[in-house]
Amino acid sequence: MAAAGDGAGAEALAASVRDFVSGQQDGRAAEVAAGVKDGTWTVLQLVEALGFCLENTDPQMRGRGIQLLSQVLLQCYSLLQEKEVLHLVLFYESRLQDHHLVIPSVLQGLRALSMCEVLSPGLAVSVLKAIFQEVHVQSLLQLDRHTVYSIITNFMSTREEELKGLGANFTFGFIQVMDGEKDPRNLLVAFQIVRDLIAKDYDLGPFVEELFEVTSCYFPVDFTPPPNDPHGIQREDLILSLRAVLASTPQFAEFLLPLLIEKLDSELQSAKLDSLQTLTACCAIYGQKELQEFLPSLWSSLRREVFQTASEKIETECLAALHALSACLSRSVLSSDSEDLLDSFLSSILQDCRHHLCEPDMKLVWPSAKLLQAAAGASLRTYHCITHSVLLLLLEQYTKHTQSSQRRTILEMLLGFLELQQKWGHVEEDESVLLSLQAPVCSVVFSALMDPSVQLQLVGIKALTVLGFLQGFLSSSDLELVVDHLVRLALHEEDSQSSEAAMEAAASLAPTYPKVFSGRMVPRLEEQLQSEREESYHNHHSLQQRCLQALAAVSTHTSIVRETVPVLLQYLQKVQKGTEARNTQDMVSVCQSLHRVALQCQQDADGCWYFHQTVVPCLLAMAVQAAMQESTHRLPGKALLEEEVLAAMIPVISAATTHLSPELAAQSVSHVVPLFLDGEVSFLPQNSFPCSFQPFGDGECLEAQRRLVALLMAFVCSLPRNVAIPQQEWLLRELLSLSCSCNCPFTATTAAKCFAGLVNKHPAGQQLDEILQLAMNRMEPSLVEGPRRTQALTLLLWVTKALVLRYHPLSSCLTDKLLGLLGDTELGPAVADGFSLLMAESPDVLHKGCHADVRIMFRQRFFTDNVPKLVQGFHGAGPDVKANYLKGLSHVLNHLPKPVLVSELPTLLSLLLEALSCSDRVVQLSTLSCLHPLLLEAPQVMSLHVDTLVTKFLDLTSSPTMAVRIAALRCAHALTSLPTTVLLPYKGRVIRALAKPLDDKKRLVRKEAVAARGEWFLLGSPGR
Amino acid sequence: MVGAGPGAAPLENANPLIYRRSGERPVTAREEDDELPDAIDDREIFDLIRSINDPEHPLTLEELNVVEQVRVKVNDAESTVSVEFTPTIPHCSMATLIGLSIKVKLLRSLPDRFKLDVHITPGTHASEHAVNKQLADKERVAAALENSHLLEVVNQCLSARS
């Protein structure tokens, strides 16, 4: 049976071989290989079957036979026995001398064998020797050359020891193989081989220069990938690969450095850049020895480039190279007899740059300063050497020049050197050059702070901050002076830029010197704040504002916060008692300052709890007191209860709450919720109130108390999700009924938001379903008719938002309800605006910062679920409500991330074009802002509609609304990114039409018109 | 800011002083009010021309101090604009080209009603008179723009810097 099977197998094999060789049927190779894999026949049998053609005199025939064998081997090399491999190798080696038609297949076979694990020792070397000897690689085709590189790579990764036995002959052989290579695909492989040769320490023998020549001839890489290149090799790949070779060994240094200097002196930008980057890479492995000879010419080339170049890129690379060179020299270990090159190198830099710092016209100061700074930043030694010489000079120059602008330049340079000092951290006292110059540096910086020029002041303030960070640099009397300057600038400097910069400087220095700032700055600010006004009302007011800002800014350390918060709260109480007209604005300012303080202490648990404990009860107490006064005495106009002030308190309470630990938050919630539900006032400071606090009670006179739900919302909606809220169901029911029944829009909306914020965080389950059902039951009848339709709609919108954010199943039912209401003539417009509320980030509740449950893709999901319905609704709607659908749609589109928008918009394009004709300006505006990115990013699609677009945009440039005119002109400008040929027919018409908005009454419109018209003029014109 | 200019060999003034750019004009509340009209003022005209590129340096006319806000005068009511520009050196051969660029920019950016006068700051250029005459001559300006090479250079000066 077996014999018969063999016989049948042999026949099938012979047939396949015949079909492949004579019949030119390439598919047979796979069958033959499959036969070898499943054991139907062996490789030996295949060779026997091939016998006739391997010995054939026709080279084509032989080639075909070897091709079949090689293809089979490429698939089955792992099945071969050691003995088989030996015979095959010997066979293939002998075939290398064969006709050139045969060689490609021979190489394929050798590649298959080079991957065999059972290759006996010595064979790898003999294969390579044979290839080096018999094959002229560079006369082969690209693919066959690639095969040779693959064979070498395979052997290098598995037979490293054997190849090293070849000594420098291997290197020489490879040099001959790659000499003259032109194809980028092969070069990438060849470069990798050279890198391995060097990295794995193969013997280069006397061939270092040859190896360098054979690779460096490609430098600098000049290669542009052909259009539609299927191989995806970029110029950058070759550059990096070659750079890795060139910068891989100090042995190349003597050849490479002259080459780099030569290319650096060339005219070609790319060559300069590549040389500089390569030099920087080399410095990582070079030492003093390699660089020694070339330092003078390297320095002169670098200097010339920085002094003369117009290209920022080249300048940056030059500075990086100089930095690397200096670092390299600083790092080198010296032998006892050699001189220290670093010193001479630095002194030549100093010699060439120093004098530019003193030239009266100051033309080359910046390039010189940058060079010096690049060298100084390399190591502590270079820093000392350079600053030692330069700092004193700069200080002298500062006093020599009297103009503010020149002083500013000098101080900016000085600042650059001071910033470098920071890099080295704390420096031993006796080593620091800077310490010895402490007095003159301080006096220069202080004089800048007193200068009338704002620009100089700003640099001075920056320098002050840097000095403050240098540990031990400023003495305590200097520090006091620093604080005095900062207070003066923050409060009394007319220019707001300087004042703000001074406050920021105080903010960043305060954590380092908390005692000085709390002891010297805070009392001065407090005193100023308490002072009665002497000067004009306006001055006094703006001074107070600055005090409030400065108090907030300086509160960057817990100990300072404990000083400033009481001051701020005290001031708030004082303002509340006052009767001045500006009360509201003042209170808002205090709240803004408190908010900043709250944000600054969030990261610090102690500070956060202190702030919460101090501020929240105090604000609540003040508000409750004011509300009660209003309900008992009917005193109108308590500023504290105005919407604006309450709205400003919300972020304060919210920021004081979001970062509380769950335990502390739970402690606080057990006071605040009972205050609102039961009127439990005992935890408030000064809690003797004339009557009880019942914000959820009935009665006309409780209107003022109800407004305080805003503060409840700020607190309760900012709690971490895992903090349980006592009596939550009761609270939810109270909020629900307040939001549906209250006549004051502020209170009703706040209650609805508070309800929504809690519902969003409520764990899923029966309780949540019940409360939602309750809400639906309250809303639905009110939505249909009655006096409170608006309140019901507000509640619906907020609850929908809360559920959409967390992907609650009920959300689709609620959005459908909203979509239905778009067709309502009375509520429709409000619903359309509500879509913006659904999509936008709301500032106080339902955002990530206050721990709301927000799924990241909710906008996309809302878009996919609801936009088809909006489009459908638009087509089915009556003419009077069509605009509502467009408006809703444009709100959804406006809040979608731009990449999603651009990919989705083409399907909606026809609708958007229709929307351009809509008379509602909100629709116009948002449609224009949707089309703008589309014009820039999908010009091909937009080109199809160019006629409509041009007409509509030009029409809208005469809209009565400024914002629409601006948006239309921006779109007209963006049109120019469409293909020029599409636009040219419209050029004359657009330019004529845009002449009119050039004379628009609004400057902002004219600006856009100028930009758009200028760009249209350039269309199709030479020099664009 | 003071710094080095570009150093490619054939420049006439290879190393000019560089001046600071004024920032974007801050938008005032009045400008954002839909109802109130804003008159065309000196700064607005200056903003039109300050970002024109110099024909030979990679810098703007403002950075080279060729144009300054104090040398721009506009009268919106009478529809007149007068701009003085100062070549960087008295023998600057680019003066006409710079003047032409300023003129073209204003022609393209201002309503028709304005009468434009672009000339060299008195006493700052060797052939001041000849250049001024060329710039004032409508026909010669129009003819210059027919020359496609000249138009190319002017357009390059007016292109937004990439």
Side-chain angles (χ1 to χ4, degrees):
Chain A
M1 272 308 283
D6 282 355
E11 267 172 45
L13 175 60
S16 296
V17 168
R18 238 188 347 267
D19 286 345
F20 183 90
V21 177
S22 327
Q24 302 288 328
Q25 294 182 21
D26 289 343
R28 295 291 176 187
E31 287 170 23
V32 177
V36 174
K37 272 188 208 160
D38 62 22
T40 319
W41 45 70
T42 62
V43 174
L44 180 63
Q45 282 169 322
L46 170 63
V47 174
E48 281 167 356
L50 274 168
F52 74 98
C53 65
L54 294 182
E55 287 159 11
N56 202 299
T57 48
D58 176 10
Q60 214 137 22
M61 194 78 158
R62 285 203 305 281
R64 197 69 185 159
I66 296 176
Q67 189 186 351
L68 176 59
L69 182 59
S70 298
Q71 283 187 12
V72 171
L73 288 180
L74 276 172
Q75 295 194 40
C76 313
Y77 61 86
S78 55
L79 303 172
L80 294 174
Q81 304 294 321
E82 188 173 342
K83 196 113 191 217
E84 289 174 315
V85 175
L86 174 66
H87 287 295
L88 285 166
V89 166
L90 291 178
F91 165 71
Y92 273 110
E93 277 181 12
S94 70
R95 286 302 94 193
L96 282 172
Q97 297 165 336
D98 204 335
H99 194 275
H100 70 90
L101 282 177
V102 181
I103 298 296
S105 305
V106 175
L107 290 172
Q108 285 298 338
L110 285 170
R111 181 163 78 90
L113 294 169
S114 72
M115 293 186 280
C116 279
E117 282 174 32
V118 294
L119 196 75
S120 335
L123 283 184
V125 169
S126 102
V127 168
L128 286 179
K129 270 186 174 165
I131 291 177
F132 291 160
Q133 200 164 1
E134 306 295 345
V135 188
H136 184 242
V137 177
Q138 288 307 322
S139 57
L140 300 173
L141 293 176
Q142 182 269 328
L143 186 65
D144 303 323
R145 300 201 302 274
H146 195 272
T147 311
V148 174
Y149 296 123
S150 307
I151 295 171
I152 297 176
T153 313
N154 290 341
F155 282 147
M156 281 177 78
S157 62
T158 57
R159 318 268 151 183
E160 190 178 326
E161 285 312 311
E162 284 180 47
L163 299 196
K164 281 185 176 167
L166 262 176
N169 286 338
F170 176 56
T171 312
F172 181 65
F174 176 72
I175 290 173
Q176 283 187 315
V177 166
M178 87 163 282
D179 191 2
E181 180 61 63
K182 287 212 171 56
D183 191 276
R185 288 163 286 178
N186 289 350
L187 279 174
L188 283 182
V189 189
F191 289 156
Q192 182 59 48
I193 294 177
V194 182
R195 247 155 88 186
D196 287 344
L197 280 178
I198 293 166
K200 300 208 172 130
D201 211 17
Y202 280 78
D203 185 6
L204 305 184
F207 303 114
V208 175
E209 185 167 4
E210 277 78 3
L211 191 61
F212 175 76
E213 290 295 334
V214 85
T215 45
S216 67
C217 62
Y218 302 99
F219 184 84
V221 171
D222 179 22
F223 165 68
T224 326
N228 310 321
D229 176 30
H231 312 296
I233 295 181
Q234 299 295 318
R235 206 180 113 98
E236 201 58 21
D237 301 332
L238 283 169
I239 290 180
L240 292 177
S241 179
L242 177 59
R243 182 173 305 149
V245 170
L246 296 177
S248 61
T249 171
Q251 295 185 71
F252 284 166
E254 53 175 319
F255 316 113
L256 179 60
L257 289 172
L259 179 69
L260 293 181
I261 293 169
E262 179 196 322
K263 299 295 173 194
L264 194 51
D265 298 350
S266 80
E267 287 289 305
L268 216 66
Q269 291 263 319
S270 60
K272 286 184 193 207
L273 275 182
D274 202 354
S275 307
L276 288 165
Q277 285 164 348
T278 309
L279 177 61
T280 308
C282 287
C283 287
I285 58 154
Y286 284 6
Q288 182 142 316
K289 184 165 71 84
E290 285 76 23
L291 292 172
Q292 181 157 26
E293 195 184 330
F294 304 99
L295 279 177
S297 26
L298 281 171
W299 163 239
S300 77
S301 296
L302 290 175
R303 185 191 54 203
R304 185 198 58 225
E305 289 304 318
V306 173
F307 280 173
Q308 296 188 355
T309 188
S311 149
E312 208 162 306
K313 228 175 173 175
I314 292 204
E315 186 190 81
T316 316
E317 292 302 336
C318 280
L319 296 175
L322 181 62
H323 180 95
L325 275 175
S326 317
C328 175
L329 292 175
S330 319
R331 203 174 47 225
S332 293
V333 183
L334 295 181
S335 57
S336 52
D337 53 343
S338 59
E339 61 160 336
D340 187 358
L341 284 179
L342 183 64
D343 282 340
S344 57
F345 185 59
L346 292 180
S347 63
S348 59
I349 297 179
L350 280 169
Q351 194 190 347
D352 291 339
C353 292
R354 248 182 79 109
H355 66 95
H356 287 300
L357 302 182
C358 328
E359 303 281 348
D361 59 355
M362 301 184 74
K363 270 188 181 157
L364 285 171
V365 284
W366 267 118
S368 307
K370 282 179 184 167
L371 284 167
L372 287 168
Q373 282 165 6
S379 70
L380 191 54
R381 264 179 74 202
T382 55
Y383 178 75
H384 279 305
C385 176
I386 288 184
T387 45
H388 184 72
S389 143
V390 172
L391 282 187
L392 208 59
L393 186 74
L394 287 176
L395 291 171
E396 269 171 29
Q397 288 298 308
Y398 185 90
T399 32
K400 238 183 232 172
H401 288 279
T402 48
Q403 281 183 29
S404 299
S405 63
Q406 292 169 327
R407 288 190 152 191
R408 169 170 160 251
T409 306
I410 296 168
L411 191 58
E412 272 179 337
M413 288 189 282
L414 193 66
L415 178 63
F417 287 102
L418 294 179
E419 277 170 341
L420 286 176
Q421 166 92 40
Q422 281 182 315
K423 207 171 143 182
W424 310 116
H426 184 58
V427 183
E428 296 296 313
E429 281 188 26
D430 50 323
E431 273 188 58
S432 172
V433 193
L434 209 51
L435 274 184
S436 62
L437 296 174
Q438 201 257 2
V441 168
C442 283
S443 91
V444 159
V445 172
F446 289 146
S447 90
L449 297 178
M450 301 293 291
D451 197 272
S453 152
V454 174
Q455 300 303 332
L456 185 52
Q457 281 175 16
L458 289 174
V459 186
I461 293 170
K462 230 189 265 169
L464 204 58
T465 321
V466 174
L467 290 180
F469 283 130
L470 295 177
Q471 253 181 348
F473 185 81
L474 295 174
S475 67
S476 58
S477 62
D478 283 333
L479 266 175
E480 288 178 358
L481 208 53
V482 166
V483 173
D484 292 348
H485 274 297
L486 289 179
V487 171
R488 175 182 59 79
L489 288 167
L491 296 186
H492 303 290
E493 171 56 44
E494 237 167 78
D495 189 275
S496 62
Q497 263 180 302
S498 284
S499 157
E500 274 164 33
M503 290 185 202
E504 290 319 310
S508 45
L509 288 177
T512 320
Y513 308 103
K515 281 216 177 92
V516 189
F517 279 90
S518 63
R520 204 165 170 94
M521 186 159 181
V522 178
R524 300 259 304 270
L525 294 172
E526 183 181 5
E527 189 189 327
Q528 189 63 252
L529 201 58
Q530 303 295 350
S531 72
E532 293 308 318
R533 78 164 192 248
E534 303 148 2
E535 325 142 66
S536 75
Y537 182 80
H538 180 76
N539 277 349
H540 181 72
H541 179 74
S542 73
L543 197 58
Q544 305 280 41
Q545 293 285 320
R546 290 242 181 123
C547 278
L548 292 175
Q549 287 166 7
L551 277 169
V554 79
S555 306
T556 45
H557 187 271
T558 321
S559 70
I560 305 177
V561 170
R562 284 168 202 265
E563 310 271 336
T564 53
V565 164
V567 175
L568 288 168
L569 289 176
Q570 216 180 339
Y571 183 67
L572 186 63
Q573 276 158 346
K574 182 183 146 197
V575 176
Q576 191 211 354
K577 287 188 191 118
T579 48
E580 296 196 32
R582 291 240 200 193
N583 274 353
T584 315
Q585 210 195 329
D586 280 348
M587 283 194 224
V588 171
S589 308
V590 182
C591 289
Q592 283 166 348
S593 288
L594 283 170
H595 182 219
R596 177 165 180 183
V597 178
L599 292 176
Q600 285 165 351
C601 14
Q602 276 180 344
Q603 297 312 323
D604 162 42
D606 277 352
C608 190
W609 179 234
Y610 166 78
F611 187 91
H612 184 89
Q613 250 186 328
T614 321
V615 175
V616 174
C618 177
L619 290 182
L620 283 172
M622 285 172 67
V624 168
Q625 177 138 32
M628 286 190 183
Q629 274 177 4
E630 196 164 314
S631 30
T632 48
H633 307 301
R634 301 239 156 207
L635 283 173
K638 263 294 169 199
L640 195 70
L641 298 179
E642 280 178 30
E643 277 174 33
E644 236 182 296
V645 180
L646 287 177
M649 286 185 185
I650 290 173
V652 180
I653 296 181
S654 177
T657 310
T658 50
H659 283 62
L660 284 185
S661 71
E663 300 75 48
L664 294 175
Q667 193 182 329
S668 186
V669 79
S670 67
H671 294 307
V672 177
V673 172
L675 168 69
F676 281 84
L677 286 178
D678 310 316
E680 180 57 57
V681 293
S682 56
F683 83 106
L684 299 176
Q686 306 148 358
N687 54 8
S688 57
F689 298 119
C691 60
S692 62
F693 179 57
Q694 322 166 273
F696 293 116
D698 286 325
E700 284 284 308
C701 60
L702 297 175
E703 182 54 47
Q705 296 190 9
R706 289 192 198 112
R707 299 166 77 85
L708 302 195
V709 171
L711 303 185
L712 173 66
M713 173 194 83
F715 173 76
V716 90
C717 292
S718 305
L719 290 168
R721 238 182 286 173
N722 53 3
V723 176
I725 294 164
Q727 298 166 303
Q728 171 150 238
E729 310 312 313
W730 178 17
L731 182 61
L732 281 167
R733 271 197 291 276
E734 292 289 7
L735 287 167
L736 184 61
S737 69
L738 184 59
S739 74
C740 290
S741 62
C742 184
N743 285 323
C744 162
F746 175 79
T747 310
T749 309
T750 319
K753 280 160 85 171
C754 190
F755 180 78
L758 291 174
V759 160
N760 175 267
K761 292 185 198 172
H762 199 296
Q766 202 196 343
Q767 274 187 325
L768 179 63
D769 295 342
E770 277 171 16
I771 195 79
L772 286 173
Q773 194 53 50
L774 196 65
M776 295 292 281
N777 294 345
R778 292 286 311 244
M779 275 187 289
E780 274 180 358
S782 322
L783 276 173
V784 180
E785 56 178 358
R788 300 221 164 83
R789 289 189 81 189
T790 324
Q791 280 95 322
L793 174 62
T794 310
L795 181 62
L796 174 62
L797 280 168
W798 281 103
V799 174
T800 311
K801 182 171 169 97
L803 298 185
V804 163
L805 289 179
R806 63 182 275 184
Y807 290 0
H808 190 277
L810 198 61
S811 64
S812 63
C813 159
L814 294 180
T815 21
D816 285 347
K817 204 170 277 297
L818 285 173
L819 286 167
L821 282 171
L822 276 174
D824 185 295
T825 36
E826 190 191 340
L827 286 183
V831 178
D833 286 333
F835 274 82
S836 114
L837 184 151
L838 290 182
M839 303 307 288
E841 180 104 328
S842 104
D844 40 11
V845 289
L846 291 175
H847 60 84
K848 269 259 150 73
C850 63
H851 312 288
D853 187 354
V854 182
R855 306 297 178 90
I856 44 170
M857 304 286 270
F858 82 91
R859 291 193 178 88
Q860 281 91 321
R861 180 163 156 157
F862 191 86
F863 173 84
T864 6
D865 288 353
N866 296 303
V867 164
K869 295 182 196 163
L870 273 169
V871 174
Q872 200 185 355
F874 169 80
H875 289 301
D880 51 337
V881 292
K882 259 190 189 311
N884 296 343
Y885 288 90
L886 282 177
K887 205 177 199 176
L889 177 68
S890 51
H891 283 309
V892 177
L893 295 181
N894 252 333
H895 288 94
L896 219 52
K898 284 283 173 276
V900 184
L901 187 68
V902 170
S903 64
E904 296 287 348
L905 267 186
T907 54
L908 295 168
L909 199 54
S910 58
L911 196 64
L912 286 175
L913 293 177
E914 205 163 331
L916 279 181
S917 317
C918 176
S919 61
D920 185 302
R921 68 182 179 82
V922 177
V923 176
Q924 289 171 351
L925 204 54
S926 67
T927 311
L928 289 170
S929 68
C930 282
L931 288 172
H932 190 262
L934 213 52
L935 287 165
L936 300 176
E937 284 163 54
Q940 299 304 333
V941 187
M942 301 303 272
S943 296
L944 305 173
H945 306 277
V946 63
D947 197 67
T948 323
L949 290 170
V950 168
T951 313
K952 299 284 182 200
F953 291 159
L954 292 181
D955 283 351
L956 289 176
T957 58
S958 45
S959 152
T961 313
M962 171 167 74
V964 174
R965 296 201 296 276
I966 290 176
L969 286 166
R970 279 194 188 145
C971 283
H973 188 170
L975 267 181
T976 56
S977 54
L978 265 43
T980 310
T981 43
V982 177
L983 298 175
L984 277 181
Y986 301 92
K987 182 174 172 180
R989 177 177 154 202
V990 173
I991 286 177
R992 274 194 305 283
L994 291 183
K996 195 176 151 242
L998 287 182
D999 213 0
D1000 198 281
K1001 68 175 177 184
K1002 296 306 296 174
R1003 182 170 297 132
L1004 296 174
V1005 178
R1006 296 196 293 264
K1007 195 174 146 196
E1008 298 297 336
V1010 165
R1013 194 165 189 253
E1015 208 51 48
W1016 273 88
F1017 260 108
L1018 294 177
L1019 274 181
S1021 190
R1024 189 197 185 193
Chain B
M1 190 178 103
V2 185
L11 296 189
E12 282 182 0
N13 181 7
N15 195 10
L17 264 177
I18 303 174
Y19 292 79
R20 207 178 142 75
R21 282 197 301 274
S22 42
E24 285 286 303
R25 179 179 192 152
V27 176
T28 61
R30 183 196 153 86
E31 283 174 354
E32 280 171 341
D33 189 319
D34 227 333
E35 302 306 319
L36 305 169
D38 314 314
I40 297 182
D41 60 12
D42 294 351
R43 170 72 201 245
E44 187 170 343
I45 303 292
F46 180 64
D47 275 340
L48 291 175
I49 57 175
R50 70 187 178 96
S51 55
I52 296 177
N53 302 320
D54 181 82
E56 52 173 16
H57 295 288
L59 295 167
T60 62
L61 296 187
E62 180 188 20
E63 285 167 313
L64 294 169
N65 217 30
V66 172
V67 293
E68 293 162 277
Q69 193 177 332
V70 291
R71 303 193 185 283
V72 174
K73 295 276 173 282
V74 60
N75 187 330
D76 196 9
E78 291 171 15
S79 299
T80 56
V81 169
S82 150
V83 174
E84 285 179 355
F85 67 100
T86 318
T88 49
I89 48 174
H91 292 281
C92 181
S93 63
M94 297 287 166
T96 323
L97 193 58
I98 293 173
L100 191 62
S101 298
I102 295 175
K103 183 120 189 181
V104 171
K105 176 74 188 186
L106 292 177
L107 281 171
R108 289 177 182 178
S109 312
L110 285 176
D112 275 344
R113 62 187 167 92
F114 277 95
K115 185 175 165 359
L116 306 179
D117 173 24
V118 176
H119 59 268
I120 292 182
T121 313
T124 59
H125 196 267
S127 36
E128 181 185 327
H129 184 64
V131 175
N132 286 346
K133 201 169 159 193
Q134 282 190 52
L135 289 174
D137 187 336
K138 262 189 196 154
E139 317 236 300
R140 288 178 78 167
V141 169
L145 294 179
E146 297 287 310
N147 175 338
S148 78
H149 173 66
L150 211 52
L151 182 62
E152 182 177 346
V153 182
V154 169
N155 278 343
Q156 272 163 2
C157 294
L158 300 188
S159 291
R161 187 86 58 78
S162 54

